[in-house]
Amino acid sequence: MTVVFDHCRAERIGLPESVFSEGKPYEALEKLACEYASPDARPVLFTRLAPETYERFPPEVAKGLDYHPLSRTAFNRVCPGRSGGRVAVVSAGTSDGPTAWEAARTLAYLGVEHTLYEDSGVAGLWRLTSRLEEINAHQAVIVVAGMDAALASVLGGLTPLPVIAVPTPVGYGVAQGGETALHSMLASCAPGVAVMNIGNGYGAACAAARIMRLL
Amino acid sequence: MTVVFDHCRAERIGLPESVFSEGKPYEALEKLACEYASPDARPVLFTRLAPETYERFPPEVAKGLDYHPLSRTAFNRVCPGRSGGRVAVVSAGTSDGPTAWEAARTLAYLGVEHTLYEDSGVAGLWRLTSRLEEINAHQAVIVVAGMDAALASVLGGLTPLPVIAVPTPVGYGVAQGGETALHSMLASCAPGVAVMNIGNGYGAACAAARIMRLL
Amino acid sequence: MTVVFDHCRAERIGLPESVFSEGKPYEALEKLACEYASPDARPVLFTRLAPETYERFPPEVAKGLDYHPLSRTAFNRVCPGRSGGRVAVVSAGTSDGPTAWEAARTLAYLGVEHTLYEDSGVAGLWRLTSRLEEINAHQAVIVVAGMDAALASVLGGLTPLPVIAVPTPVGYGVAQGGETALHSMLASCAPGVAVMNIGNGYGAACAAARIMRLL
Amino acid sequence: MTVVFDHCRAERIGLPESVFSEGKPYEALEKLACEYASPDARPVLFTRLAPETYERFPPEVAKGLDYHPLSRTAFNRVCPGRSGGRVAVVSAGTSDGPTAWEAARTLAYLGVEHTLYEDSGVAGLWRLTSRLEEINAHQAVIVVAGMDAALASVLGGLTPLPVIAVPTPVGYGVAQGGETALHSMLASCAPGVAVMNIGNGYGAACAAARIMRLL
Amino acid sequence: MTVVFDHCRAERIGLPESVFSEGKPYEALEKLACEYASPDARPVLFTRLAPETYERFPPEVAKGLDYHPLSRTAFNRVCPGRSGGRVAVVSAGTSDGPTAWEAARTLAYLGVEHTLYEDSGVAGLWRLTSRLEEINAHQAVIVVAGMDAALASVLGGLTPLPVIAVPTPVGYGVAQGGETALHSMLASCAPGVAVMNIGNGYGAACAAARIMRLL
Amino acid sequence: MTVVFDHCRAERIGLPESVFSEGKPYEALEKLACEYASPDARPVLFTRLAPETYERFPPEVAKGLDYHPLSRTAFNRVCPGRSGGRVAVVSAGTSDGPTAWEAARTLAYLGVEHTLYEDSGVAGLWRLTSRLEEINAHQAVIVVAGMDAALASVLGGLTPLPVIAVPTPVGYGVAQGGETALHSMLASCAPGVAVMNIGNGYGAACAAARIMRLL
Amino acid sequence: MTVVFDHCRAERIGLPESVFSEGKPYEALEKLACEYASPDARPVLFTRLAPETYERFPPEVAKGLDYHPLSRTAFNRVCPGRSGGRVAVVSAGTSDGPTAWEAARTLAYLGVEHTLYEDSGVAGLWRLTSRLEEINAHQAVIVVAGMDAALASVLGGLTPLPVIAVPTPVGYGVAQGGETALHSMLASCAPGVAVMNIGNGYGAACAAARIMRLL
Amino acid sequence: MTVVFDHCRAERIGLPESVFSEGKPYEALEKLACEYASPDARPVLFTRLAPETYERFPPEVAKGLDYHPLSRTAFNRVCPGRSGGRVAVVSAGTSDGPTAWEAARTLAYLGVEHTLYEDSGVAGLWRLTSRLEEINAHQAVIVVAGMDAALASVLGGLTPLPVIAVPTPVGYGVAQGGETALHSMLASCAPGVAVMNIGNGYGAACAAARIMRLL
């Protein structure tokens, strides 16, 4: 099994390589990690890389990767800085951490400046409004929320920035798996809220980077 | 076809008779309307009574009914007043009118005092917050919203009153039919928000009346 | 990762703090448990706290919490008593225990008097009717049922009290996960039955407490 | 287009011919109706035959058919009587009429004795219990209900007879189309309740006839 | 937690007690098993009793139960024989074994004579047709199938007996969980096929026993 | 609005042009029909062309099209004959006509020989088995069925030919819209049955033509 | 019924007023149209305004609105021009016209430069690739597609621009209503594709305008 | 439990025996494996045979089977070669390996020549187009893809060969389980793409073999 890598992607769409690790056999992942561990390797980002997998890598390979367990991301180096704007990542609660941090870490890998605002859920509205001015000083907002995802609508109605909403699988009963959050964001009563797949913090960061590249 | 009416319902559960008109043949509805048109008839409420049906009733029967087209409700008389509290009905937008008014009209029929606050959707948050103090002066809130139904979560996090949330079928795409609003309300991040079936303004009013009966 | 707690919630909506533990990393839960273990801490309720997690807490922290494994709830102290009414918690079967007890334990934490009636499913109708008078002596009813959830409709047609229905994920095949129970309760033929998310005993107790606060 | 009729069905499975009319072009239906209008034709039952279609039939053909608009059924003659038992058809409300009557009319066509008990929904439980003894004097029960379909569970727990449950599409919101009733019946807490497709009164009667054939 | 058993069920509906074991805590199950282990105990059937649970029972209790691992059923004694007819249990494939055997074992417990015909799926149609005459010598058929469940339609078109169809969760992709088999059986083109919940072999046996009781 | 036609499709994939008419504005359809009415026009097939639309075409344009109302197809000329094999189109019932005929008409347009076998549903199995030898004398089979679609599995287990299965939206309740038939075909217990979208007789014919092209 | 308009929205989020017309009573729409017909009125956009409704407006009001039937949009004036970039609207087929044109018309209303590329579906890939360079000369792309929506993935893999994908309800069978297109876009294998609700061309334009505002 | 094998299948439909191992008890699998291990046994293919199961087989039995862990397939011998055409198996990404290899291994077992092209997803379109000519030199194509499955549409629009599409459960959020890929393939805008159940590489190979048998 030889992997045919899309090596010219960065030139074509401005987003460097990444590896979605979930579901790939360990051997394939280790082989990729080794290749990118060499000093002259191009940058690469591993997403959905389980801690157990990372810990199984040979020590010298693991050492060459910057790994972050909550977001399950790893990269060998940061891409050359982009001069564009800054992105605010706003999440509803602590449980949305894995997705919010996947977005933040991908932005870091892509060389995009960003700030993370956690625990901003609308059940305690003051937590959002007290930080609104600071958020609006960025050039785009990534909103991360599960359950009813009301945060996307409220923030979408309070900011003129591009809003990229990411539903998370946080919740139980009808909220389990994130479909309620996804649908709530898609049906947002605030105009112009764009939505990513459930838990796709990586994609939200890429969408933001496509915007930042214009600035 | 003779209808076996649950005539002792008012005594048993404190809620007088009502007729869900949708799907019933015209002949059955006209017969019922005639019976309740007599001066000494007990009170009755018709819900989901289409304007076409009402207009087809014999004039003297139609005249004996207080009909309201937007809510599609009709009643022959108002039930004896209840001394209990007052209910606020808060809706997100003009399109939620049929459900919001079904709740308001049912409260009127049941003799429960109430106020209706329309156009309070969270995309323009100031419309809700500017009326919050007034809403909190009631003893229960019925929240009516479609699409993402974020209003239920936001209001649920701002009021100590019992909150009865009613999703509406307003919206398109994933919001069509009201399931997104229903799930969003059930998954509300605000604690203690109780939910009715989609478009069930009548049931929300009954739930509120069960509470008012305690006061 | 610092948690921004909604510390003014009790003042705003009358419901003190609680922590939804499922999906939160152990470190965050232990940190919270330690903070609330101090003698002068405000009251706090942990819901969905797995026995494995509780047992991993440092002994002195665990000792400071009243933990109940079936309901997976823990609290450090009971909130000051409310003078209002009493709540009946009626469940269909033994398997509904986790949700029924989550409701009962939350009521205990909130200082609301209550009685628990288990094994009242309608397949053996006499078990419900023989206790009806006693149930009706309360001021609100929380109905907990899985599978076909017929109990909500039957009890809703027999009591004038506010009825808060909680579906449970009990069952298999089409009943698995609780959606059938949820939909059955929402479509109840008894008027004024309000519904919570699947398994949300905590929310049902909060909804009841919002009502009891009026008395 | 020539129809290949399964003419030996009665001999093979004991159930004579029937024509599901919905979706068939008018020409095919008229041709079939004409064939079966001759004095020596075998018995045939048309189900889901819209009034508009029946009224379009040539007068002499229409006259030869016993048509019943509410159930949308027509037959040219009744099958030779079966000596077996009697079937009770119990329905929850007036709106379930089309399905309940389709069952009753099919039983009539098949020569099976039966009684119809309408308006027996559990929201007013006394309507069912007061007729229970009479129902139990039959040899099988067909239960017809929409919305939450709680009637199937309650009756299934009160009768030793074979119970055939038919959900109806009566209801709105989550009940619309009858899936909630279907799932509720399948998940019934009463043991041994067998279920038909939504609105399939015809099939319920066939299932009952298969049983009566044994007696 | 004391269980309120529906002890008069056998008298009321002719079906003796049974315990759905899945989801019940071990302590409750052991307590019940002990009570029914005494020589003068009434008959009881445990369904969905995992081998791990059974093996954890005290030896003298386990010895007093007739346990069958594939069907996950156990009973302490067989109910007094019924003089009625015999039931054929026909299953599509080896993988449907757990459900087919749950039906067979429940029939054994209820004292109903029966024969089990496995591996009769329609992909190799001769396996069914070669045994048809033998099957038709019974008084009712329980059909057990997963995946496309075509067996129910084919057999329903070949037998005049009452047909009780049980979908199983066998399959993958769209068949996973058994919903395809369930819907296929409900939509069967053969008239009078009655359907149980997915995997409900117990219920199918109860439905058959309700019929056998008439003979 | 100018349509950018994929004019080189026939050369690229061997299937000439076709127009999916549903949802296109009348003006666009008339314009296309006029263009293809000229004597030297390339062949074109219109699918899902409603009778009302066809009848609205200018007479000289309508006259130039071979229109078939049941299948809602029209073509200006037949494509040059293919020397390959013959295709059997087998359908379960009269109601599946629109889809079965869409397949047959598309085959005619593509110049593929074929035979249509209607009314072959498995509820009367003899109708299929008596024609099996004749069917097997073709080189591919298109199976068209709604409801439980058991025909696909039964025929798939009786023929060595390539089997292309097309579900139809025929049925009510759980069968409504054709999803049950679709899932049943996808989960077929017969190996190697390939499936098209619901009602896609056109696509089935194209799939068969791709095969015939090899012969 | 008085509408509480969110009049300060333009100042708050940079997007001027708009009216979602579907489901609003005619009287409310006419009243709004009249208000905005005055020469000094602020700009307003009506979306989902049916031709029947527009034609019912008083002539002088209708005349004051720029109405476009395919997109069902109307506006009284164009907002002051934005100096930012240009947006490419790329659609898969003619049937996606209503949504593609709703996006284009909203961009026109918002004063954003744009180009519309229709009929770019991937079944004839050359139609997209031949226009790629021209598309990439814009600053953002709105991709509009129904059915399998493969266009979003293919274009997302070929352009470095921000990509806003809008599913349409075009299709039948599993594609009906647009859910397949929606899910396909959300699951796109191209990184950073952001998605709107089904048919939400208006929202896509707003999302693009939020981006253009940065340039 | 004795298995009634469909031993005449190869003669009837041209496809030799196979065993779907998932969900079958170990004892049944071992017994079958032993029977087929004898030198004169007919060929047999085990699909979905977990590595743990294979490793538990007695060494001499395991040795007699050609086992392939990624595809979870095993066979005792290859069927006699077919003279027909060659099949291309084209997959979108490394994660689709289990399904793609199940197809390839089944083709090997059936004696059908084939080539496997992995990593051909459309996000990097050049990977597909650069191999198109080579692919088109086969006689049929099996397309294997998860997530948005856009590969099926793109390839279907570029090749005249029969196309058999197999969705895989690769993906997360809305793509989880493979339903999005399935629906996307069924709704493909390329004409004549036939689809298998999610993950059914075995069935795709059988469908291809049915075609190759004609050549």
Side-chain angles (χ1 to χ4, degrees), chain D residues 34-211:
Chain D
C34 290
E35 283 174 22
Y36 282 99
S38 76
D40 57 342
R42 291 191 308 265
V44 78
L45 171 72
F46 291 84
T47 60
R48 307 240 169 179
L49 185 69
E52 305 83 72
T53 308
Y54 173 74
E55 279 152 22
R56 210 173 141 194
F57 283 166
E60 70 282 7
V61 170
K63 212 167 50 188
L65 291 172
D66 178 342
Y67 183 67
H68 183 264
L70 180 61
S71 64
R72 296 186 296 156
T73 53
F75 47 74
N76 55 353
R77 74 200 57 215
V78 165
C79 300
R82 294 160 178 275
S83 56
R86 287 179 309 130
V87 176
V89 180
V90 183
S91 77
T94 319
S95 309
D96 301 311
T99 301
W101 278 92
E102 189 186 86
R105 288 271 300 174
T106 302
L107 289 170
Y109 167 68
L110 296 172
V112 176
E113 274 189 68
H114 60 277
T115 326
L116 178 53
Y117 300 89
E118 293 189 276
D119 272 315
S120 309
V122 300
L125 199 57
W126 61 270
R127 297 182 300 187
L128 177 66
T129 49
S130 66
R131 294 189 279 189
L132 183 61
E133 199 178 351
E134 200 180 322
I135 291 168
N136 277 344
H138 293 73
Q139 273 70 53
V141 191
I142 292 173
V143 183
V144 182
M147 295 167 73
D148 56 355
L151 178 57
S153 291
V154 172
L155 187 46
L158 292 174
T159 185
L161 301 178
V163 178
I164 300 158
V166 196
T168 71
V170 170
Y172 60 94
V174 297
Q176 192 151 41
E179 206 184 62
T180 293
L182 170 66
H183 287 180
S184 180
M185 285 168 162
L186 286 166
S188 175
C189 51
V193 172
V195 185
M196 309 305 298
N197 192 7
I198 300 159
N200 192 5
Y202 163 73
C206 289
R210 285 175 182 259
I211 297 172

Side-chain angles (χ1 to χ4, degrees), chain B residues 162-184:
Chain B
V163 178
I164 300 159
V166 196
T168 72
V170 169
Y172 59 94
V174 298
Q176 191 150 41
E179 204 183 63
T180 293
L182 170 66
H183 286 180
S184 180

Side-chain angles (χ1 to χ4, degrees), chain G residues 147-148 153 157 180 183-184 188-189, chain H residues 123 148 153 180 183-184 187-189:
Chain G
M147 296 166 73
D148 57 355
S153 292
T180 292
H183 287 179
S184 180
S188 174
C189 51
Chain H
D148 56 356
S153 292
T180 293
H183 287 180
S184 179
S188 175
C189 52

Side-chain angles (χ1 to χ4, degrees), chain H residues 5-55:
Chain H
F5 228 82
D6 184 12
H7 48 73
C8 57
R9 197 173 85 172
E11 287 68 46
R12 207 170 63 240
I13 66 169
L15 292 165
E17 282 147 277
S18 68
V19 175
F20 181 76
S21 313
E22 207 171 79
K24 291 217 171 58
Y26 174 75
E27 286 69 24
L29 290 171
E30 187 188 307
K31 198 176 151 207
L32 279 166
C34 291
E35 283 173 23
Y36 283 98
S38 76
D40 57 343
R42 291 191 309 266
V44 78
L45 171 72
F46 291 84
T47 60
R48 306 240 169 179
L49 184 70
E52 306 81 73
T53 307
Y54 172 74
E55 280 152 20

Side-chain angles (χ1 to χ4, degrees), chain G residues 94-110:
Chain G
T94 319
S95 309
D96 301 312
T99 302
W101 279 92
E102 189 186 86
R105 287 271 300 173
T106 303
L107 289 169
Y109 167 67
L110 296 172

Side-chain angles (χ1 to χ4, degrees), chain G residues 122-123 125 129 147-148 150 153-154 157-158 174-175 180 183-191, chain H residues 122-123 125 129 147-148 150 153-154 157-158 174-175 180 183-191:
Chain G
V122 299
L125 199 57
T129 50
M147 296 166 73
D148 57 355
S153 292
V154 173
L158 292 173
V174 298
T180 292
H183 287 179
S184 180
M185 284 167 161
L186 286 165
S188 174
C189 51
Chain H
V122 300
L125 199 57
T129 49
M147 296 166 73
D148 56 356
S153 292
V154 173
L158 292 174
V174 298
T180 293
H183 287 180
S184 179
M185 285 169 162
L186 286 166
S188 175
C189 52

